[in-house]
Amino acid sequence: MKVVALSGSIIGSKTRTAMNYVVEVFNDQYPDVDITLIDLADYDIQFSDGRNYLDYKGDTKFVTETLMGADAIIIGTPIFQASIPATLKNIFDLLPVSAFEDKVASMVVTAGSSKHYLVAEHQLKPILAYMKAKIVQTYVYIEEVDFDRQQIVNDDILFRIERLVEDTVLLTRTYTKMREEQEAKYNF
Amino acid sequence: MQEYGIETKKGLEFGLYTLGDHLADPRTGKRISAQQRIKEIIELAQLAEQAGIDFFSVGESHQDYFTTQAHSVVLAAIAQATEKIKIASSSTIISTLDPVRVYEDFATIDLISDGRTEIIAGRASRVGNFELLGYDLNHYEELFEEKFALLLQINEEEIVNWEGKFRAPLRDARIIPRPKRGKLPIWRAVGGPAASAIRAGRMGVPMFLATLGGPASIFKRSIDAFRETARESGFDPDRLPVATAGFFYIAETTQDAQREYYPHINEGMKLTNGRGYPKQHFAQGADPRDVMNIGSPQQVIEKILYQHELFGHQRYIGQMDFGGVPFDKLKRNIEYIGEEILPAIRKYTKKTKADTNE
């Protein structure tokens, strides 16, 4: 199973910090899972111009191909101006229409306060659904107060991250199995 | 229709097309050489002619896993190797070529082939050709529209006066040689949403519609929109042929056909398009209402006739060689076409005297 942890912002530290914890859970508890962390801050990615993702070069090609090769994607996003950052939206724009078909997607959201709790529900989930992801319905929402100097200081958040990773792995395994059974029935 | 070499009384024309993809056979993991692939494409055209198939065309793609970038050169070889079959490009990416050179090439192929040559001009779905040939992807639409219009003008006028944005102006330029019948049939390649079909209708040019998968009734919308717009724009839709192009594969049973062709399409699409073909969608492709012509001979005949009833189109072309299908399977398909498909579709689609008014 290939999982990509995508940190969707190019500035700030909270989303990256949260994604480090996600990766740590994978490393500790799911050594058989092939986990890759992609922090958009580490890459130089161009704006989508509508071409097939295979036709991009450099970092843009690398990041899109890595995402397309994943069985599951855990998306980490901050909230900027009551929405997801443009850098993350650009990743979705770079990919094909049904890019997440047969993939599981789950979400980790960081925000300054509780005001933006429904942003992921109202803005991120519809994009993932349109791109045909199988979505882990619950997400981990982390506020400013839960962080202290690039550490998460709220055990409740750590427990929730563990549960999110577990749910992501479980759902990916389950969907893979269901799909295999369904496809075997086609007999071709 | 005769202006485009289509004789409707003979019924629906049947053709084959290749994109010239160069992919490993997923069953063996082995890929033949580019040279062998090109030679097999030429031989396929000869076999198609011997089986009585009406049309054979070769596409142009400028990226990995393709081998007919110089599609007009391959077509010239096919022109020399065959005698009766119509030949064409599918498509020529006119956006990143010089329409003058394209016309010179295809008029020459037409003379070699003794008047059997056509051009299908398209915009490309993959866009490697833009950077490779020195064009800006931001001009994707404008490049196509300007160059396609120039190609049509050259077809109409031997001496051309023209000025545009993307090519040096032409002043009393004589574009020669001229094709055997004075003009080449030139089609506009159309894919995806109806907007593209509507543009073809507005220009009053024949339309080649890509129909890879999904319900046939969806594609009828594009065809209806094409004819309707042509009429509104002052053209007679009864004089504008429509052709469709999509996946085609025959085996003894529909399940055998799906089993044989699916890995080629799925693995081939992954490499050339970045996504496989979902098995669930492919399974639905067996439904008589789905446009994908993959199945037993009887199943495919029924589908083609259903599509003909729905579309009223003049030509159907099938893609059976995608994704490294071994040559013996292609030969077997051509046998099925010659022995079962062609006799049936001709019998049921040819027009009696009372039907035709041309």
Side-chain angles (χ1 to χ4, degrees), chain B residues 217-238:
Chain B
S217 53
I218 296 291
F219 296 103
K220 180 173 162 49
R221 293 181 193 169
S222 288
I223 294 172
D224 287 348
F226 166 73
R227 293 192 178 123
E228 186 56 37
T229 315
R231 187 176 294 114
E232 283 167 9
S233 308
F235 302 101
D236 179 2
D238 292 336

Side-chain angles (χ1 to χ4, degrees), chain B residues 37-285:
Chain B
R37 174 71 169 129
I38 289 167
K39 290 197 167 182
E40 285 185 359
I41 287 170
I42 297 164
E43 192 183 339
L44 204 59
Q46 289 175 302
L47 294 172
E49 172 169 279
Q50 286 157 21
I53 291 170
D54 298 301
F55 174 97
F56 189 90
S57 64
V58 180
E60 170 193 5
S61 282
H62 295 266
Q63 54 257 327
D64 287 348
Y65 308 114
F66 287 90
T67 189
T68 56
Q69 286 76 4
H71 68 310
S72 54
V73 179
V74 178
L75 285 168
I78 291 173
Q80 184 65 21
T82 54
E83 286 167 12
K84 301 192 302 273
I85 194 166
K86 293 179 182 179
I87 54 179
S89 53
S90 57
S91 317
T92 295
I93 310 307
I94 197 72
S95 324
T96 52
L97 297 172
D98 175 8
V100 173
R101 285 292 292 139
V102 167
Y103 203 83
E104 287 172 348
D105 281 354
F106 280 81
T108 305
I109 298 169
D110 189 65
L111 296 178
I112 297 170
S113 70
D114 205 19
R116 294 182 279 131
T117 303
E118 308 181 9
I119 300 174
I120 303 167
R123 304 192 292 182
S125 56
R126 290 285 305 277
V127 295
N129 52 319
F130 282 79
E131 196 167 319
L132 183 70
L133 302 174
Y135 289 91
D136 184 348
L137 191 57
N138 285 321
H139 301 138
Y140 180 79
E141 288 212 350
E142 276 180 88
L143 272 168
F144 177 79
E145 299 299 341
E146 179 176 302
K147 293 199 178 192
F148 185 58
L150 174 56
L151 185 71
L152 293 175
Q153 190 183 338
I154 297 170
N155 201 30
E156 296 296 324
E157 304 164 3
E158 183 171 331
I159 295 174
V160 179
N161 281 287
W162 179 92
E163 208 174 308
K165 270 174 76 177
F166 299 108
R167 191 205 183 284
L170 296 164
R171 308 257 183 259
D172 293 326
R174 183 186 294 273
I175 314 296
I176 47 174
R178 301 307 290 179
K180 178 148 189 215
R181 293 175 224 291
K183 284 206 277 186
L184 294 171
I186 298 180
W187 305 67
R188 182 171 173 132
V190 168
S196 182
I198 286 170
R199 269 191 222 120
R202 202 169 283 143
M203 295 180 89
V205 293
M207 170 172 80
F208 239 102
L209 182 67
T211 57
L212 292 194
S217 53
I218 296 291
F219 296 103
K220 180 173 162 49
R221 293 181 193 169
S222 288
I223 294 172
D224 287 348
F226 166 73
R227 293 192 178 123
E228 186 56 37
T229 315
R231 187 176 294 114
E232 283 167 9
S233 308
F235 302 101
D236 179 2
D238 292 336
R239 296 182 57 188
L240 293 175
V242 170
T244 62
F247 287 130
F248 176 94
Y249 196 92
I250 308 256
E252 196 179 333
T253 67
T254 294
Q255 204 167 66
D256 285 344
Q258 289 183 309
R259 196 178 290 140
E260 283 180 24
Y261 204 17
Y262 180 73
H264 296 280
I265 290 184
N266 189 44
E267 296 304 318
M269 296 269 286
K270 276 185 202 165
L271 291 173
T272 61
N273 204 38
R275 277 190 68 225
Y277 203 103
K279 214 168 189 182
Q280 193 178 38
H281 290 224
F282 196 82
Q284 283 187 323

